[in-house]
Amino acid sequence: MTAGQPFAEWMKAVQSGIEHALDGFLPPVSEAPARLHAAMRYAVLDGGKRVRPLLVYGAGELFGADSAVLARAAAAVEMIHAYSLVHDDMPCMDDDALRRGKPTVHVEFDEATALLVGDALQSQAFQVLSEGETLADPERQLAMLRLLARAAGAGGMCGGQAIDLASVGLTLALGELERMHQLKTGALLRASVLLGALAGKRLEAAEVAALEAYAEAVGLAFQVVDDVLDATADSATLGKTAGKDAADNKPTYVSILGLAESKALAEKLRDDAHRAVVPFGEKARRLREIADLVVQRKA
């Protein structure tokens, strides 16, 4: 991957590289328990846009991070994301049968296996991030582990999911909806950005502030676009069940703001993301391009 590489080529290279890394970091089906390992691989491999790994690599380029460390950080955050999808799709949560264009894990395997897949992927993520190519700075590596743990827990992704489940059928104010998604979606996207940056160096306060402002804008834009697509695209395009938020009576940006205003908000958030990384100059090119990808995506 080179700095002058067109974004589409850079993105494809990152996606291909992280697929290879994940394949190596996941336990093989040749080892027992084979069914659990097969289900873990089914949940993680051959699917998804890999937005979080893209953010890891995009931020890593700002500070010349080592590619081996970036691979571990990107794989760890993608395993956390994949585990959350497996649990999110289960009957006790959103009860969905389609994810990434194929049957969800509990449908393809069974509910007990799906539960274990999520548990195992979460543990595997921290194993991957703590082993192998270690940083010269142990404090920085510990900071990366702490960052991922906080993003995945009650103060991040899990907390946001709890609020989401408790909000079904309720009318939320815009600020309440935003707070829910800052936790459910935004926390892991923020962690992706900061993990990539920390793979390169210890961060100054001003650098953290700029990256957090970028991540907050991208995280909210991602959810706004998700809500727009859920209301406008079909299941074949999305790779998951379309219209499910409305069917489940969930509060969304579209239900609160309407379609046109939601699209306008996504564009504003993209502009906010671009402005946040101005201090980094041309080195932030990939982060700007990822913000464009998030807002312009069709699935």
Side-chain angles (χ1 to χ4, degrees):
M1 291 178 283
T2 62
Q5 200 174 19
F7 179 68
E9 292 181 12
W10 178 85
M11 178 173 67
K12 186 175 181 179
V14 171
Q15 291 168 331
S16 176
I18 195 60
E19 187 75 14
H20 178 75
L22 286 165
D23 181 59
F25 290 142
L26 288 165
V29 294
S30 58
E31 295 180 1
R35 182 175 172 81
L36 174 60
H37 292 168
M40 291 169 68
R41 300 176 75 84
Y42 179 89
V44 175
L45 299 176
D46 302 319
K49 295 172 284 294
R50 309 299 192 200
V51 170
R52 290 151 193 84
L54 290 173
L55 287 168
V56 171
Y57 276 85
E61 285 195 7
L62 287 175
F63 305 113
D66 181 82
S67 60
V69 180
L70 287 177
R72 287 188 171 271
V77 78
E78 189 68 4
M79 286 180 188
I80 294 290
H81 174 56
Y83 118 68
S84 75
L85 298 182
V86 173
H87 281 186
D88 190 48
D89 289 334
M90 292 181 67
C92 60
M93 296 271 195
D94 283 357
D95 193 14
D96 215 328
L98 187 68
R99 174 69 68 177
R100 293 176 172 174
K102 60 185 183 182
T104 48
V105 175
H106 72 273
V107 172
E108 183 70 15
F109 292 86
D110 54 66
E111 289 183 33
T113 299
L115 183 65
L116 290 172
V117 163
D119 295 344
L121 285 175
Q122 181 174 201
S123 297
Q124 192 75 13
F126 288 101
Q127 181 178 333
V128 166
L129 192 56
S130 63
E131 291 182 345
E133 299 83 355
T134 56
L135 296 171
D137 182 353
E139 286 188 20
R140 189 151 42 99
Q141 187 170 25
L142 181 60
M144 293 171 72
L145 289 163
R146 186 186 301 117
L147 175 66
L148 185 58
R150 287 178 174 173
M157 183 182 70
C158 286
Q161 176 70 354
I163 296 171
D164 189 17
L165 292 170
S167 301
V168 174
L170 302 180
T171 301
L172 296 185
L174 184 60
E176 294 174 316
L177 183 69
E178 183 175 295
R179 177 55 180 161
M180 177 178 79
H181 288 307
Q182 283 174 334
L183 297 176
K184 182 181 177 181
T185 305
L188 203 56
L189 291 172
R190 171 185 175 274
S192 301
V193 173
L194 293 178
L195 283 170
L198 282 167
K201 67 182 286 286
R202 290 196 190 197
L203 300 176
E204 304 294 335
E207 293 168 336
V208 172
L211 291 172
E212 286 186 333
Y214 167 85
E216 181 176 351
V218 168
L220 289 178
F222 188 95
Q223 189 59 52
V224 173
V225 173
D226 243 22
D227 289 353
V228 168
L229 291 172
D230 186 73
T232 59
D234 57 29
S235 298
T237 301
L238 294 177
K240 59 183 179 180
T241 307
K244 202 164 189 305
D245 289 340
D248 291 344
N249 201 21
K250 282 191 171 186
T252 68
Y253 283 97
V254 174
S255 69
I256 292 175
L257 297 176
L259 192 57
E261 195 169 340
S262 294
K263 291 180 178 179
L265 176 58
E267 290 293 342
K268 176 190 176 298
L269 290 166
R270 176 170 66 160
D271 291 342
D272 291 345
H274 279 230
R275 280 195 296 273
V277 294
V278 165
F280 300 115
E282 182 55 27
K283 287 185 177 181
R285 171 188 171 188
R286 298 307 184 195
L287 292 180
R288 290 192 296 271
E289 290 170 332
I290 295 168
D292 294 341
L293 171 72
V294 164
V295 173
Q296 295 170 350
R297 65 196 170 96
K298 303 299 180 184

